[in-house]
Amino acid sequence: GENVEQHPSTLSVQEGDSAVIKCTYSDSASNYFPWYKQELGKRPQLIIDIRSNVGEKKDQRIAVTLNKTAKHFSLHITETQPEDSAVYFCAALIPGTYKYIFGTGTRLKVLA
Amino acid sequence: DAGITQSPRHKVTETGTPVTLRCHQTENHRYMYWYRQDPGHGLRLIHYSYGVKDTDKGEVSDGYSVSRSKTEDFLLTLESATSSQTSVYFCAISESLESPLHFGNGTRLTVT
C-alpha cells in the first residue's frame, strides 16, 4: 500500500547549524508534499509544501527539495534556532484519492 | 488560523462505552479528516469526508465510524471503546485537493 518513510526519527544539532530531514514515498504518481511542524502539546501546522512540477521551494530559512525520480523529498532548515525544536512531519497526497499519508515524524532538538 | 473546533478537548471513558468526538469548522471547506496520533506512529488516517454524506475509510478505520450530515460538522464515533483507542485525535480540514490540511487542537481520549 501507500507509504511514506521518514528519517531520522531524532536529530540534534547545534544552534546555527543546518538540519535535514528526508522522506521517501512509495507511489510515483504522488504530486503534493506538505511539511508540518508540531510543538509539544500543540497541533501540527504547515510550514512549507511543494508540488511535483517544481524541484525546490524556499521560505526564508526553510527549503524543501523534491526528487521525483528517486521518490524522495527533503526538508532543509538553515541557521537553526532553539525555537525550531519540535517534531516535523512529512506527508504525501495519495494520487486519485483525497488521502494524505504522513511519515512517522522527526524530533528535532536545537542545542543552544 | 482556520476556524476548527474539536470537542471535547479531553475525555476519559471506560472500555465498552460508546464515544463521539466532534469537529466543527467555520471555513466551509469541502474536505474533513480524522487522524489519530500515537508515539512512534505519527499521524494515521482514520476516516475522511469529501462532502456531505460522502465518507471513506483511512488506514486505521476498524472500530470507528463517522458521519457528516452538514458541511461544518464531522463526527467520529467509537462504538465500543477499547484501551487501544487511547490516543490523541486530530480533525483536519482542506479547501481543495493539493491544498494544505489545517488541524484542530486535538482531543485527548483515555480509555480505562
Side-chain angles (χ1 to χ4, degrees):
Chain A
E2 305 92 357
N3 187 44
V4 174
E5 294 188 1
Q6 183 171 347
H7 299 281
S9 57
T10 61
L11 179 60
S12 293
V13 299
Q14 291 292 329
E15 182 177 0
D17 287 351
S18 295
V20 180
I21 303 169
K22 183 175 176 179
C23 289
T24 59
Y25 56 97
S26 56
D27 193 325
S28 59
S30 294
N31 51 18
Y32 176 64
F33 309 93
W35 284 90
Y36 290 83
K37 175 183 180 182
Q38 187 179 29
E39 297 176 351
L40 188 62
K42 298 193 175 180
R43 61 184 167 180
Q45 293 196 291
L46 179 80
I47 53 172
I48 196 167
D49 57 6
I50 191 168
R51 291 173 176 78
S52 60
N53 57 343
V54 298
E56 183 177 8
K57 183 177 179 181
K58 287 185 178 180
D59 183 3
Q60 300 182 337
R61 296 186 296 108
I62 294 173
V64 57
T65 58
L66 173 64
N67 183 328
K68 285 220 72 179
T69 302
K71 294 191 290 185
H72 71 242
F73 56 112
S74 299
L75 178 71
H76 305 255
I77 306 174
T78 59
E79 301 173 19
T80 53
Q81 301 167 4
E83 52 264 39
D84 294 329
S85 295
V87 179
Y88 292 82
F89 293 97
C90 62
L93 176 62
I94 305 303
T97 77
Y98 311 106
K99 297 191 285 188
Y100 292 82
I101 303 298
F102 283 77
T104 51
T106 297
R107 183 174 300 279
L108 174 65
K109 294 182 183 178
V110 179
L111 307 172
Chain B
D1 285 348
I4 310 168
T5 304
Q6 290 187 235
S7 58
R9 291 296 313 279
H10 303 271
K11 186 169 182 65
V12 180
T13 192
E14 293 184 349
T15 298
T17 60
V19 177
T20 294
L21 308 183
R22 182 182 184 231
C23 179
H24 177 79
Q25 59 141 331
T26 58
E27 304 297 319
N28 200 36
H29 284 354
R30 176 181 175 186
Y31 303 96
M32 298 186 75
Y33 302 79
W34 277 107
Y35 285 88
R36 61 177 288 175
Q37 184 171 35
D38 306 287
H41 292 278
L43 292 152
R44 292 183 292 175
L45 181 63
I46 306 171
H47 281 280
Y48 63 99
S49 170
Y50 47 97
V52 174
K53 300 190 187 303
D54 291 323
T55 65
D56 204 350
K57 296 179 180 180
E59 308 165 79
V60 290
S61 59
D62 288 349
Y64 302 95
S65 62
V66 290
S67 67
R68 191 168 179 201
S69 58
K70 298 184 289 184
T71 298
E72 57 265 36
D73 289 326
F74 193 32
L75 304 180
L76 176 70
T77 297
L78 290 66
E79 302 290 348
S80 177
T82 68
S83 58
S84 64
Q85 293 175 313
T86 292
S87 186
V88 178
Y89 291 85
F90 285 100
C91 172
I93 65 174
S94 176
E95 184 174 15
S96 62
L97 285 180
E98 296 191 17
S99 64
L101 294 178
H102 299 282
F103 287 86
N105 287 319
T107 294
R108 183 174 295 277
L109 176 67
T110 303
V111 183
T112 61

